[in-house]
């Protein structure tokens, strides 16, 4: 028997506005907000109303398509200048996920040969829609490849949310679980809650539960004990940026899970599209790591859970060295033992 999936979508292009699932309100409230301006889009990315590398890129691309509707320009040169300025503004929203810069570049480059303002407007909107459509197809392929690495009844651990709402649809690390449901293949997922922003409990647990996947929530500090006592077979995570040698930035806590996988001798998989690779940087040392506000740690909601004036370190991501990654699963195939050579071989 097969099930038809109806997964939540995080972002939709509505011509005069962007409809966005406000991920900060989940899981208690499912609300779609309307973004009307470039500033709305920037704010939504910075405040994590939309988050997850591919979804950030898609939203930013639509942000450019939205903004150009108010350009007061007479020539194509002026149009290009304005688009470039808008791109720079959106690029300042978050530093780590490379999909943001990749999508913005792609949209801006789509008008390189445009000779009229009308043509340029059409091209930008078309490119943004295309980026979203391609990401959906890409995620399905990633899910299909990832599922081939699991056996029936496997118990798999994940962190953060690399699901449908972090992408166009299906997700990356969560795609195999959604697809397993479609194909009636039983898998059991253990989701780490993902302090401090709780993407694991608020988003992953919600998304997998909605699609009927067998999911169990644990706190991040329970990972080692859970791997041991629940017989975890594999760990799978998403990615925000992958360097040429395979070093991978992902949500804070990922590196620790990779070390645990090594200690327990279980595979550690990264699932990510080609757009998450940054082949311009040699290693993870060059990946900028976002540091977010202390309040994410000192408060839970509006309740203060740390002393006044405590000093706080809040990196949002960490970098897992490629030597701890069993394989990177892409839409082009599975990169076993990621390195400069194996990555080139699969991505080219
Ligand atoms: O800070 P976030 O919630 O944007 O971080 C998201 C992650 O780290 C995801 O794992 C990553 O972007 C992959 S999403 C398919």
């Amino acid at each position: 028997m097969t099930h038809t999936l109806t997964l939540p979508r995080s972002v939709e292009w509505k011509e005069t506005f962007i409809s966005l699932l406000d991920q900060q309100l989940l899981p208690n409230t499912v609300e779609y907000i309307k973004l009307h301006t470039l500033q709305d889009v920037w704010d939504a990315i910075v405040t994590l109303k939309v988050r997850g590398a591919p979804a950030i890129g898609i939203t930013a691309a639509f942000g450019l398509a939205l903004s150009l509707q108010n350009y007061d320009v007479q020539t194509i040169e002026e149009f290009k200048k304005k688009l470039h300025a808008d791109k720079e503004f959106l690029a300042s929203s978050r530093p780590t996920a490379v999909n943001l810069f990749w999508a913005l570049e792609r949209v801006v480059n789509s008008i390189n040969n445009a000779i009229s303002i009308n043509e340029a407007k059409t091209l930008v909107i078309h490119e943004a829609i295309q980026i979203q459509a391609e990401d959906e197809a890409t995620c399905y392929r990633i899910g299909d490849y990832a599922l081939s690495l699991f056996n029936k009844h496997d118990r798999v651990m994940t962190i953060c949310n690399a699901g449908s709402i972090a992408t166009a649809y299906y997700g990356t690390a969560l795609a195999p679980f959604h697809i397993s449901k479609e194909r009636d293949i039983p898998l059991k997922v253990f989701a780490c809650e993902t302090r401090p922003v709780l993407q694991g409990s608020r988003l992953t647990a919600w998304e997998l539960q909605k699609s009927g996947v067998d999911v169990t929530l644990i706190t991040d500090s329970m990972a080692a004990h859970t791997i041991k006592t629940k017989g975890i077979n594999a760990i799978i995570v998403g990615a925000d940026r992958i360097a040429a040698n395979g070093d991978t930035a992902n949500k804070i806590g990922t590196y620790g899970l990779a070390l645990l996988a090594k200690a327990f001798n279980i595979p550690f998989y990264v699932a990510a599209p080609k757009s998450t690779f940054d082949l311009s940087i040699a290693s993870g040392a060059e990946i900028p790591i976002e540091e977010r506000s202390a309040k994410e740690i000192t408060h839970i909601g509006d309740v203060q859970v740390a002393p006044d004036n405590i000093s706080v370190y809040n990196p949002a991501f960490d970098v897992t060295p490629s030597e701890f990654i069993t394989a990177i699963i892409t839409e082009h195939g599975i990169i076993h033992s990621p390195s400069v050579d194996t990555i080139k071989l699969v991505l080219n």
Side-chain angles (χ1 to χ4, degrees):
M1 203 180 82
T2 55
H3 300 268
T4 309
L5 292 176
T6 45
L7 305 175
R9 285 187 188 273
S10 57
V11 51
E12 280 188 77
W13 173 242
K14 300 283 189 187
E15 313 273 340
T16 54
F17 64 92
I18 299 166
S19 172
L20 193 81
L21 175 63
D22 186 342
Q23 297 193 35
Q24 281 292 27
L25 301 179
L26 290 172
N28 299 324
T29 307
V30 179
E31 187 177 310
Y32 285 82
I33 54 172
K34 293 180 179 176
L35 309 182
H36 289 282
T37 65
L38 198 70
Q39 186 68 49
D40 288 348
V41 174
W42 189 88
D43 289 343
I45 296 172
V46 169
T47 58
L48 310 184
K49 288 185 169 68
V50 60
R51 32 66 49 204
I56 292 170
I58 292 163
T59 307
F62 284 140
L64 294 183
L66 195 62
S67 178
L68 59 79
Q69 299 181 5
N70 296 319
Y71 286 0
D72 181 17
V73 292
Q74 308 306 322
T75 67
I76 183 72
E77 285 71 31
E78 286 176 290
F79 183 98
K80 285 181 179 174
K81 245 192 203 160
K82 269 215 154 288
L83 192 69
H84 182 79
D86 284 354
K87 178 200 89 167
E88 292 294 306
F89 177 58
L90 289 181
S92 70
S93 56
R94 293 190 75 188
T96 305
V98 78
N99 304 62
L100 169 66
F101 313 105
W102 170 85
L104 289 170
E105 275 305 316
R106 205 176 132 169
V107 171
V108 167
N109 287 337
S110 73
I111 63 159
N112 282 349
N113 299 323
I115 50 173
S116 74
I117 292 173
N118 274 345
E119 186 195 1
K121 283 185 175 175
T122 310
L123 284 170
V124 166
I125 294 167
H126 177 267
E127 196 67 15
I129 291 170
Q130 191 62 21
I131 286 172
Q132 186 178 39
E134 282 173 21
D135 190 60
E136 181 167 336
T138 288
C139 286
Y140 194 83
R141 290 176 71 91
I142 289 173
D144 210 17
Y145 279 123
L147 194 51
S148 74
L149 296 167
F150 300 143
N151 297 309
K152 249 185 182 183
H153 300 291
D154 266 0
R155 294 156 171 244
V156 187
M157 186 173 280
T158 190
I159 189 167
C160 195
N161 173 272
S164 184
I165 57 175
T167 62
Y169 204 64
Y170 298 111
T172 54
L174 298 192
F177 307 128
H178 290 310
I179 297 173
S180 76
K181 205 64 209 161
E182 203 176 41
R183 299 182 190 166
D184 237 349
I185 299 169
L187 292 173
K188 191 166 173 54
V189 181
F190 287 82
C192 296
E193 67 171 350
T194 321
R195 276 281 285 157
V197 180
L198 302 176
Q199 288 94 334
S201 59
R202 292 189 305 103
L203 310 177
T204 293
W206 173 79
E207 184 181 317
L208 291 180
Q209 190 184 57
K210 257 178 96 65
S211 88
V213 173
D214 181 351
V215 56
T216 300
L217 180 64
I218 59 167
T219 69
D220 304 335
S221 52
M222 294 170 188
H225 180 75
T226 304
I227 293 170
K228 187 173 169 187
T229 57
K230 296 292 180 185
I232 299 295
N233 302 99
I235 298 174
I236 188 166
V237 300
D240 289 88
R241 196 187 291 226
I242 303 173
N245 70 346
D247 291 353
T248 295
N250 190 50
K251 181 52 56 195
I252 192 74
T254 300
Y255 184 18
L257 291 185
L259 296 174
L260 287 178
K262 179 101 180 159
F264 283 97
N265 198 23
I266 58 172
F268 181 84
Y269 299 123
V270 171
K274 189 177 177 182
S275 53
T276 300
F277 286 76
D278 182 355
L279 301 181
S280 74
I281 57 172
S283 79
E286 293 173 67
I287 300 177
I289 299 296
E290 177 182 11
E291 284 188 35
R292 294 188 60 87
S293 104
K295 204 169 170 215
E296 287 183 351
I297 293 182
T298 57
H299 288 66
I300 295 180
D302 287 331
V303 180
Q304 189 173 326
V305 292
D308 286 339
N309 304 320
I310 191 75
S311 99
V312 166
Y313 175 46
N314 184 17
F317 301 95
D318 56 29
V319 176
T320 301
S322 62
E323 64 190 281
F324 296 105
I325 300 172
T326 310
I328 303 177
I329 305 149
T330 77
E331 71 274 34
H332 297 276
I334 299 171
I335 305 168
H336 296 278
S337 306
S339 68
V340 172
D341 292 338
T342 56
I343 288 172
K344 265 194 205 146
L345 212 62
V346 173
L347 291 191
N348 279 335

CSV table of all heavy atoms in Angstrom, one decimal, residues 48 51-54 56 94 159-163 166-167 172 199 238-240 250-251 316-317, ligand 1:
chain,number,residue,atom,x,y,z
A,48,LEU,N,14.2,34.2,11.8
A,48,LEU,CA,14.0,32.7,11.6
A,48,LEU,C,12.5,32.4,11.4
A,48,LEU,O,12.1,31.2,11.7
A,48,LEU,CB,14.5,31.9,12.8
A,48,LEU,CG,15.9,32.2,13.3
A,48,LEU,CD1,16.3,31.3,14.4
A,48,LEU,CD2,16.9,32.0,12.2
A,51,ARG,N,13.6,29.5,7.8
A,51,ARG,CA,15.0,29.1,8.1
A,51,ARG,C,15.2,27.7,7.4
A,51,ARG,O,14.2,27.1,6.9
A,51,ARG,CB,15.3,29.0,9.6
A,51,ARG,CG,14.2,28.7,10.6
A,51,ARG,CD,13.6,27.3,10.4
A,51,ARG,NE,14.7,26.4,10.5
A,51,ARG,CZ,14.7,25.2,9.9
A,51,ARG,NH1,13.5,24.7,9.3
A,51,ARG,NH2,15.7,24.3,10.0
A,52,GLY,N,16.4,27.3,7.4
A,52,GLY,CA,16.8,26.1,6.6
A,52,GLY,C,17.4,26.6,5.3
A,52,GLY,O,16.7,27.4,4.6
A,53,ALA,N,18.5,26.0,5.0
A,53,ALA,CA,19.3,26.6,3.9
A,53,ALA,C,18.5,26.8,2.6
A,53,ALA,O,18.5,27.9,2.0
A,53,ALA,CB,20.6,25.8,3.7
A,54,PRO,N,17.9,25.7,2.0
A,54,PRO,CA,17.2,25.9,0.7
A,54,PRO,C,16.0,26.9,0.8
A,54,PRO,O,15.8,27.7,-0.1
A,54,PRO,CB,16.8,24.5,0.4
A,54,PRO,CG,17.8,23.6,1.1
A,54,PRO,CD,18.0,24.3,2.4
A,56,ILE,N,15.7,29.4,2.8
A,56,ILE,CA,16.2,30.8,2.9
A,56,ILE,C,16.5,31.3,1.5
A,56,ILE,O,16.1,32.4,1.1
A,56,ILE,CB,17.4,30.9,3.8
A,56,ILE,CG1,17.1,30.6,5.2
A,56,ILE,CG2,18.1,32.2,3.7
A,56,ILE,CD1,18.3,30.4,6.2
A,94,ARG,N,21.9,36.6,6.8
A,94,ARG,CA,22.5,35.5,7.6
A,94,ARG,C,23.7,35.0,6.8
A,94,ARG,O,23.7,34.9,5.6
A,94,ARG,CB,21.5,34.3,7.8
A,94,ARG,CG,20.3,34.6,8.6
A,94,ARG,CD,19.5,33.4,9.0
A,94,ARG,NE,20.2,32.6,10.0
A,94,ARG,CZ,19.8,31.4,10.4
A,94,ARG,NH1,18.7,30.8,9.8
A,94,ARG,NH2,20.4,30.7,11.3
A,159,ILE,N,19.1,15.8,13.8
A,159,ILE,CA,19.1,17.0,14.6
A,159,ILE,C,18.6,18.2,13.7
A,159,ILE,O,18.6,18.1,12.5
A,159,ILE,CB,20.5,17.3,15.1
A,159,ILE,CG1,20.5,18.5,16.2
A,159,ILE,CG2,21.5,17.6,14.0
A,159,ILE,CD1,21.8,18.6,17.0
A,160,CYS,N,18.1,19.2,14.4
A,160,CYS,CA,17.6,20.4,13.7
A,160,CYS,C,16.4,20.0,12.8
A,160,CYS,O,15.7,19.0,13.1
A,160,CYS,CB,18.7,21.1,12.9
A,160,CYS,SG,18.2,22.8,12.4
A,161,ASN,N,16.1,20.8,11.9
A,161,ASN,CA,15.0,20.5,10.9
A,161,ASN,C,15.5,20.7,9.5
A,161,ASN,O,15.8,21.8,9.1
A,161,ASN,CB,13.8,21.4,11.1
A,161,ASN,CG,12.7,21.1,10.0
A,161,ASN,OD1,12.8,21.7,8.9
A,161,ASN,ND2,11.8,20.1,10.2
A,162,ALA,N,15.7,19.6,8.8
A,162,ALA,CA,16.1,19.6,7.4
A,162,ALA,C,14.9,18.9,6.6
A,162,ALA,O,15.1,18.0,5.9
A,162,ALA,CB,17.4,18.8,7.2
A,163,GLY,N,13.8,19.5,6.9
A,163,GLY,CA,12.5,18.9,6.4
A,163,GLY,C,11.9,19.7,5.3
A,163,GLY,O,12.5,20.6,4.7
A,166,ALA,N,12.0,23.3,5.5
A,166,ALA,CA,13.4,23.9,5.3
A,166,ALA,C,13.8,24.0,3.9
A,166,ALA,O,14.9,24.4,3.6
A,166,ALA,CB,14.4,23.1,6.2
A,167,THR,N,12.9,23.5,3.0
A,167,THR,CA,13.2,23.4,1.6
A,167,THR,C,12.0,23.7,0.8
A,167,THR,O,11.0,24.3,1.3
A,167,THR,CB,13.6,21.9,1.2
A,167,THR,OG1,12.5,21.1,1.5
A,167,THR,CG2,14.8,21.4,2.0
A,172,THR,N,15.7,17.5,3.1
A,172,THR,CA,16.9,16.8,2.7
A,172,THR,C,17.1,15.6,3.6
A,172,THR,O,16.7,14.4,3.3
A,172,THR,CB,18.1,17.7,2.7
A,172,THR,OG1,18.2,18.3,4.0
A,172,THR,CG2,18.0,18.8,1.6
A,199,GLN,N,14.6,23.7,16.9
A,199,GLN,CA,14.1,23.3,15.6
A,199,GLN,C,13.7,21.8,15.6
A,199,GLN,O,12.8,21.4,14.8
A,199,GLN,CB,15.1,23.5,14.5
A,199,GLN,CG,15.4,25.0,14.1
A,199,GLN,CD,16.5,25.6,14.9
A,199,GLN,OE1,16.8,25.1,16.0
A,199,GLN,NE2,17.2,26.6,14.4
A,238,GLY,N,21.1,17.5,7.8
A,238,GLY,CA,21.2,18.4,6.7
A,238,GLY,C,22.5,19.2,6.7
A,238,GLY,O,23.5,18.8,7.4
A,239,ALA,N,22.6,20.2,5.9
A,239,ALA,CA,23.8,21.0,5.8
A,239,ALA,C,23.5,22.4,5.4
A,239,ALA,O,22.5,22.7,4.7
A,239,ALA,CB,24.8,20.4,4.8
A,240,ASP,N,24.4,23.4,5.9
A,240,ASP,CA,24.2,24.8,5.5
A,240,ASP,C,25.3,25.2,4.5
A,240,ASP,O,25.1,26.1,3.7
A,240,ASP,CB,24.3,25.7,6.7
A,240,ASP,CG,23.0,25.5,7.5
A,240,ASP,OD1,22.9,24.6,8.4
A,240,ASP,OD2,22.0,26.2,7.2
A,250,ASN,N,26.7,22.7,9.8
A,250,ASN,CA,25.2,22.4,10.0
A,250,ASN,C,24.9,22.9,11.4
A,250,ASN,O,25.8,23.4,12.2
A,250,ASN,CB,24.9,20.9,9.8
A,250,ASN,CG,23.4,20.7,9.8
A,250,ASN,OD1,22.6,21.4,9.1
A,250,ASN,ND2,22.9,19.8,10.6
A,251,LYS,N,23.7,22.8,11.8
A,251,LYS,CA,23.2,23.3,13.1
A,251,LYS,C,24.1,22.8,14.3
A,251,LYS,O,24.6,21.7,14.3
A,251,LYS,CB,21.8,22.8,13.3
A,251,LYS,CG,21.1,23.2,14.6
A,251,LYS,CD,21.1,24.7,14.9
A,251,LYS,CE,20.5,25.5,13.7
A,251,LYS,NZ,20.9,26.9,13.8
A,316,ALA,N,25.5,29.4,16.1
A,316,ALA,CA,24.3,28.7,15.6
A,316,ALA,C,24.7,27.5,14.8
A,316,ALA,O,23.8,26.6,14.6
A,316,ALA,CB,23.5,29.7,14.7
A,317,PHE,N,25.9,27.3,14.4
A,317,PHE,CA,26.4,26.2,13.6
A,317,PHE,C,27.7,25.7,14.1
A,317,PHE,O,28.4,26.4,14.8
A,317,PHE,CB,26.5,26.6,12.1
A,317,PHE,CG,25.2,27.2,11.6
A,317,PHE,CD1,25.0,28.6,11.6
A,317,PHE,CD2,24.2,26.4,11.1
A,317,PHE,CE1,23.8,29.1,11.1
A,317,PHE,CE2,23.0,26.8,10.6
A,317,PHE,CZ,22.8,28.2,10.6
B,1,LIG,O1,19.4,28.1,11.9
B,1,LIG,P1,18.6,27.3,10.9
B,1,LIG,O2,17.3,26.7,11.5
B,1,LIG,O3,18.4,28.0,9.6
B,1,LIG,O4,19.5,26.0,10.6
B,1,LIG,C1,19.1,25.1,9.7
B,1,LIG,C2,20.0,23.9,9.6
B,1,LIG,O5,21.1,23.8,10.2
B,1,LIG,C3,19.6,22.8,8.7
B,1,LIG,O6,20.0,21.6,9.1
B,1,LIG,C4,20.2,23.1,7.3
B,1,LIG,O7,19.9,24.4,6.9
B,1,LIG,C5,19.7,22.2,6.2
B,1,LIG,S1,17.9,22.5,5.8
B,1,LIG,C6,17.6,21.4,4.5
